[in-house]
Amino acid sequence: MNRFLLSLVVLTACDAHAADWPTWRGVERDGLSEESGLLKEWPEGGPKKVWTSKDAGLGYSSFSVVGDRLYTMGADEKQEYVIALDATSGKKLWQTSVGKRLENGWGPGPRCTPTVAGDLVVALGGEGGLYCVSAADGAKKWSVELTELGGKVPNWGYSESPLVDGDRVLCTPGGDNGTVAAFDLKTGKKIWQSADMTEKAHYSSIVPVDHYGQHQYIQLTQNKVFGLDNDGKRQWQADWPLGRTAVIPTPIYDNGYVYVTSGYGAGCMLVQVGEDNSVKQLYDNKVMKNHHGGTIKVGDYIYGHSDGPGWICQEMLSGEMVWNEKSKLGKGAVAFADGMLYCVEENSGTCVLIEANPGGWIEHGRFTLEPQTDQRSPKGKVWSHPVIANGKLYLRDQEIICCYDVKQ
C-alpha cells in the first residue's frame, strides 16, 4: 500500500490526528504531514496567528517541531546557533553556537533544518560544523568539521539537513575522501565515508529508503543520483547530466522509482531502480524545473513550482504536465497536510492553501506573512520552507517566526 492510500485509511480511522515534524520535510523527508482535522478553508486574512517571535537570528533554516518545542537555526553578527523555542508561545529556551557565521551575498547565516532524535538535536552550520546537542538545554555533546573530511564549503554554504537514522548521523561533506559520511549518534565517531562516491557536495539532503528489503541512502549531487548501503558502499547510480549551478531539491523515492529535479534550466528525471539495483531511465524533461522550493508527491502526481510554467501538477510515471498555474502565485516553497498544499511565495511572503488535486488549482484561502524582516539581504527572499505540525503552521522570514492555528 503506498503512502497516499495509507493516509486515507488513517483519515477514516479518526477525526483528528496531530503529528510532530522532527526533521527536514517531515518524518519521511517527503514534505507530507500525517495530520488530519485541519482547516480546509481559511477565513479572510488567513488563519488565527498564535504568536510572533523576532528572536531567531538571520538565516534561511526551516523548523523541526517535537511536542511543545520548535528547533531551528539562526545567526547574530559573528556566530551561528541551533535554537530551541517554546512552540506554544514562541519564547526562546536556549541557543548553542555551531561555529562562525556564513557570509554570503544572498544572505548570511545557516540554511540547515535541525534533526531531533529523542533527547538529541543534530544541526549543520553553513561553514560545515556538524553539532550534536542536548534537546533539553542545548548542551554540546560532540562536533565534527566537514571540511576536515575532505569537503569544501559549497558556494552558498553547507545547506543540507543532516539525517539521523537509528544510531547514526549521515551528511554530505563531499570530496575525494567520500561524498557521504556516517557518524555514531552518541559519540560523533566516524563510522564510514563513501570511498566509491567522491562527488562534491551540493545542497540536497539524504533520503533513507527500504528498497526491496535493502536499506539504502539516496543522495543527489550536481552530476549524480545514487544509493548507498548501510556500509556506505554504492549500490547504484544514475547520471544527472542536467544538473548545473546549484542542485537543491530532495529526491523522491517510491517503490523503486527515484525522481529528481533542479533549477537553472535543468529539469527533472525519473529512474527505476530494480531489485538487483539495475537502473533504467524512464524520462528526463523540462516540465519540472524546481529551484529550491521542493516538490511533493501525492498519489500519482508531483506538485511544486517549476521555473517557467509556474505551479504545476505533473504525472510522475509519465512525466507529463497535468496542469499549470502561473498568474495566481509566484515561485516558492510547498508542504502538504490533510489533503492540502501550503504554498509560500518567496517574493511577497504570501501563503496560499490549495487542494492537492490533479483537476487544477483550487484555492481555499491566502494571507501574507506579517511582519517581515528589514534585515534581509537585498538578494534574499522568503526562502524558509513552511512546516505544519501539531495543528500549527510555522512560517519564517529571517529573524521573524510566525505561528498560526490551522486546526478545524
Side-chain angles (χ1 to χ4, degrees):
M1 181 180 291
N2 67 36
R3 176 166 179 159
F4 181 66
L5 292 178
L6 180 61
S7 69
L8 293 182
V9 173
V10 172
L11 291 183
T12 60
C14 58
D15 292 331
H17 173 67
D20 289 335
W21 189 281
T23 186
W24 167 245
R25 283 171 56 87
V27 174
E28 301 292 337
R29 297 197 146 202
D30 54 9
L32 303 174
S33 168
E34 297 181 348
E35 291 205 43
S36 61
L38 303 181
L39 292 171
K40 296 301 180 67
E41 195 81 36
W42 286 344
E44 185 176 353
K48 178 183 177 181
K49 184 187 285 188
V50 179
W51 53 258
T52 299
S53 168
K54 299 183 179 180
D55 216 12
L58 301 184
Y60 295 106
S61 298
S62 184
F63 320 105
S64 291
V65 183
V66 175
D68 60 359
R69 291 205 173 187
L70 176 149
Y71 302 89
T72 189
M73 299 183 73
D76 61 17
E77 291 82 1
K78 295 182 179 180
Q79 296 286 307
E80 294 184 357
Y81 301 91
V82 56
I83 298 168
L85 303 180
D86 184 319
T88 63
S89 68
K91 178 183 177 182
K92 183 184 284 188
L93 302 175
W94 54 258
Q95 67 178 29
T96 299
S97 174
V98 293
K100 70 176 183 178
R101 185 173 90 165
L102 174 77
E103 299 299 334
N104 186 268
W106 280 258
R111 282 88 164 102
C112 154
T113 297
T115 296
V116 184
D119 60 355
L120 299 174
V121 179
V122 181
L124 178 64
E127 292 282 353
L130 179 68
Y131 279 70
C132 178
V133 304
S134 165
D137 59 10
K140 178 182 171 182
K141 302 297 184 180
W142 54 263
S143 66
V144 174
E145 292 295 329
L146 298 193
T147 53
E148 295 178 2
L149 299 174
K152 181 181 178 182
V153 180
N155 289 338
W156 285 276
Y158 276 108
S159 301
E160 76 166 318
S161 298
L163 169 69
V164 176
D165 188 40
D167 60 358
R168 60 180 61 180
V169 177
L170 288 93
C171 62
T172 312
D176 292 341
N177 294 344
T179 305
V180 175
F183 307 89
D184 184 278
L185 173 61
K186 298 298 184 182
T187 67
K189 180 180 179 181
K190 189 173 78 169
I191 301 170
W192 51 255
Q193 198 164 351
S194 60
D196 53 0
M197 288 302 302
T198 56
E199 299 286 305
K200 67 179 181 180
H202 261 241
Y203 308 93
S204 183
S205 295
I206 300 166
V207 179
V209 306
D210 289 313
H211 177 69
Y212 294 102
Q214 296 179 321
H215 195 62
Q216 292 190 6
Y217 304 109
I218 297 176
Q219 179 59 302
L220 175 68
T221 61
Q222 184 171 7
N223 302 120
K224 305 283 185 183
V225 57
F226 56 89
L228 306 176
D229 69 10
N230 277 323
D231 297 318
K233 292 181 170 49
R234 184 180 64 220
Q235 300 302 292
W236 60 269
Q237 69 174 6
D239 290 336
W240 176 231
L242 304 176
R244 55 180 69 93
T245 309
V247 172
I248 305 169
T250 304
I252 292 174
Y253 174 91
D254 184 50
N255 293 319
Y257 295 98
V258 180
Y259 175 93
V260 295
T261 180
S262 57
Y264 299 94
C268 60
M269 178 176 74
L270 183 71
V271 298
Q272 185 173 17
V273 183
E275 187 172 359
D276 61 353
N277 290 313
S278 59
V279 179
K280 178 182 179 181
Q281 185 187 92
L282 300 181
Y283 62 77
D284 66 74
N285 65 39
K286 305 289 187 181
V287 171
M288 179 69 80
K289 301 184 291 292
N290 187 263
H291 188 191
H292 49 59
T295 56
I296 304 287
K297 180 181 182 293
V298 182
D300 297 327
Y301 302 94
I302 302 287
Y303 299 88
H305 186 276
S306 178
D307 293 339
W311 292 90
I312 73 167
C313 171
Q314 179 186 28
E315 186 178 45
M316 190 183 85
L317 290 183
S318 71
E320 297 297 320
M321 184 186 295
V322 179
W323 58 257
N324 73 295
E325 175 53 62
K326 192 171 183 177
S327 64
K328 294 180 180 176
L329 191 71
K331 176 179 176 180
V334 62
F336 170 93
D338 200 9
M340 310 297 280
L341 297 171
Y342 294 68
C343 308
V344 180
E345 183 183 75
E346 64 178 31
N347 284 321
S348 67
T350 298
C351 183
V352 176
L353 185 71
I354 69 168
E355 295 181 19
N357 191 329
W361 177 280
I362 304 173
E363 186 172 322
H364 290 265
R366 65 171 57 207
F367 70 97
T368 299
L369 172 64
E370 291 291 346
Q372 294 186 21
T373 186
D374 59 6
Q375 299 187 59
R376 191 192 318 132
S377 164
K379 292 184 178 180
K381 301 181 187 297
V382 181
W383 282 333
S384 299
H385 283 219
V387 164
I388 307 98
N390 300 321
K392 303 295 192 296
L393 165 66
Y394 298 94
L395 302 178
R396 178 178 184 174
D397 182 20
Q398 298 294 314
E399 81 280 9
I400 300 172
I401 300 173
C402 294
C403 170
Y404 303 86
D405 187 348
V406 292
K407 294 189 301 292
Q408 285 184 356

